[in-house]
Amino acid sequence: MKEYLDIIIKAKESTNEEELHELSKNVNFKVRRAVAKNKHTSQKTLEILQKDPTLNIAFIANIHAINKVIFDDEIALKNPCVICEKDETTFHHECGNCREDSYSRIMDGFIPYGKEKIKYSY
């Protein structure tokens, strides 16, 4: 995580649309999630992130995008991990039991994020 922390901070604080577009392609989901939350992210980049395979990124991008998409998996959208608003630089400390909790959420009928029927493309 340490190696991504600087990149996450850059994604949170950048005001450059081109830089944010490049960061939106980062392999780390926390970086892409920070880009989706950044108010300086272009609509073009948000439209790409709306199709991200990690549903909490797609969900956040959809909130900020002008043109909304309808997700196929309404149950997954109720998953607390999908709608989580915790800061990307600290939620790994705040949500230390997230993996453990994820199992109980699945047993309660929640589907883990990233299982929706939306495909990611650049």
Side-chain angles (χ1 to χ4, degrees):
M1 175 59 196
K2 181 114 172 119
E3 66 270 11
Y4 286 106
L5 191 56
D6 291 337
I7 302 170
I8 293 168
I9 292 169
K10 183 187 285 189
K12 286 176 52 177
E13 296 177 354
S14 178
T15 59
N16 183 307
E17 287 184 4
E18 291 175 15
E19 179 178 53
L20 288 164
H21 183 74
E22 287 305 310
L23 289 168
S24 75
K25 300 174 188 177
N26 193 286
V27 67
N28 187 287
F29 80 95
K30 293 177 186 178
V31 174
R32 297 192 316 275
R33 186 172 178 243
V35 171
K37 291 169 81 175
N38 187 316
K39 68 180 181 181
H40 299 286
T41 300
S42 71
Q43 288 298 309
K44 175 185 169 186
T45 301
L46 287 172
E47 287 174 13
I48 293 168
L49 290 173
Q50 284 175 298
K51 300 172 189 166
D52 195 282
T54 304
L55 187 53
N56 70 355
I57 296 166
F59 176 81
I60 291 168
N62 201 46
I63 289 172
H64 299 287
I66 293 172
N67 297 319
K68 308 295 184 195
V69 297
I70 298 172
F71 297 102
D72 292 337
D73 198 342
E74 291 296 321
I75 294 174
L77 291 175
K78 295 177 184 172
N79 184 316
C81 294
V82 172
I83 59 176
C84 176
E85 295 181 6
K86 294 191 185 314
D87 187 279
E88 291 74 26
T89 57
T90 59
F91 80 67
H92 62 282
H93 295 296
E94 296 174 28
C95 300
N97 295 322
C98 198
R99 285 185 190 270
E100 185 178 322
D101 292 346
S102 292
Y103 180 75
S104 62
R105 290 180 185 134
I106 292 167
M107 297 309 291
D108 289 339
F110 291 112
I111 299 169
Y113 57 82
K115 301 292 184 190
E116 73 286 350
K117 299 172 184 152
I118 293 176
K119 302 295 181 208
Y120 186 56
S121 63
Y122 288 102

